[in-house]
Amino acid sequence: MPTLGKNSVFKLDNSSGTLTDLSQYITDVSGINNTTAMIDSTTFGDSSLENFPGLRNGDAITISGIWETALNTHFTALLSNSATRTWEYSPAGTAATTPKVSGECYVESYVVTSAVADTVKFTATLRQTGDVTWGTN
């Protein structure tokens, strides 16, 4: 059965290291991938590419949505801090047994945009570091 994105929950540490629900500001989450870098090991004489699995993850997670002052305070405090931050994403909400993925990241960028006939918006890029954990709530 399809799941509506409106139930998604995204949390990110604040500057004190407390996991904070930012869902009320977010309209889109992308880039949470379950990836492994493939290393080319093709040599002379091979008639096809040869690959083997390398390191996992390290992807860029992008979150975007409606900008507000409290959100701005949250992100600007993280930009000046070099510590990793915990993130947690529950695409189907946080009810028991629903999927959850989490990990550690750095805030790579935070961009605010505005247009005359639209809401002020934000986009933040989080750079995954270390393992991504796939589990349930």
Side-chain angles (χ1 to χ4, degrees), residues 90-108:
S90 301
T94 57
T97 73
T98 55
K100 174 177 72 173
V101 58
S102 60
E104 291 291 310
C105 69
Y106 292 99
V107 177
E108 187 173 286

Side-chain angles (χ1 to χ4, degrees), residues 38-44 46 48-52:
M38 298 306 292
I39 309 301
D40 184 359
S41 60
T42 309
T43 60
F44 296 140
D46 287 341
S48 298
L49 288 176
E50 298 286 335
N51 294 287
F52 66 94

